[in-house]
Amino acid sequence: VDRVRPDLVLREAGELAAAPVAAARSIPLVTVAFSGVLPERARGEVVEDLRPLWHAEGLGDPSWADVYGQLYLHPFPVSFGQRPDAPVVRPIRPQGGSPSEPPADWVAVLGVDRPFVYVTSGTEPPSVTFPWRELLAVLDGADVDAVATIGPHVDPAAIGAVPPNV
């Protein structure tokens, strides 16, 4: 950070070291939440564990608000109940819009007659290590409708045959 001198530090909510590093250098910090909000009951312990790092950066004791930075971009819908209670939080959910074409017929029946299962291992390179073949074998025998998203790193040929209910 000292060598590069960024204009902004962008971090994920689960990464905690960037906050004191940015604060000590007066670099704006933006949190982009890809993971959920840390439960209230754990925040005091986390702030206490962060104290030595803040002190090593020449800062005073941290508060939970300090960890959020100057802006916290929150992608989750209200129904998740995960919106942090802080003035720096801004929602980043897509608003409105309409599809360019209607959904395929198979989408309308998902979860109507039997449970619906959605599976993903994310879209990052480690998704190739997910046990896709084993998962598909389990889903093949299950009375469910399932959608599995594999991301760009998984070769569809490497996962084998996809059952008709997936």
Side-chain angles (χ1 to χ4, degrees):
V1 170
D2 289 331
R3 184 176 51 81
V4 175
R5 291 297 306 163
D7 295 320
L8 175 77
V9 172
L10 185 68
R11 70 160 193 115
E12 201 282 322
E15 190 289 310
L16 299 169
V21 171
R25 291 155 182 83
S26 299
I27 301 170
L29 176 72
V30 175
T31 299
V32 179
F34 293 112
S35 58
V37 175
L38 190 66
E40 183 78 35
R41 66 185 179 280
R43 293 178 190 170
E45 186 176 333
V46 169
V47 168
E48 186 61 35
D49 287 346
L50 288 173
R51 186 182 317 275
L53 183 56
W54 284 73
H55 289 178
E57 289 293 334
L59 300 168
D61 291 341
S63 70
W64 190 246
D66 293 328
V67 174
Y68 284 162
Q70 287 73 41
L71 181 63
Y72 186 107
L73 301 175
H74 182 67
F76 300 108
V78 174
S79 62
F80 278 28
Q82 294 241 350
R83 188 178 196 285
D85 184 22
V88 298
V89 176
R90 301 291 178 272
I92 57 170
R93 300 280 308 158
Q95 300 295 319
S98 58
S100 56
E101 56 187 68
D105 291 340
W106 61 268
V107 173
V109 299
L110 290 175
V112 171
D113 295 326
R114 54 191 182 175
F116 172 66
V117 175
Y118 171 66
V119 180
T120 184
S121 66
T123 58
E124 298 301 317
S127 63
V128 299
T129 63
F130 191 77
W132 288 109
R133 287 181 179 269
E134 294 83 353
L135 172 79
L136 293 175
V138 169
L139 290 174
D140 191 23
D143 186 27
V144 299
D145 295 322
V147 171
T149 56
I150 60 172
H153 302 285
V154 177
D155 178 2
I159 64 174
V162 177
N165 65 322
V166 179

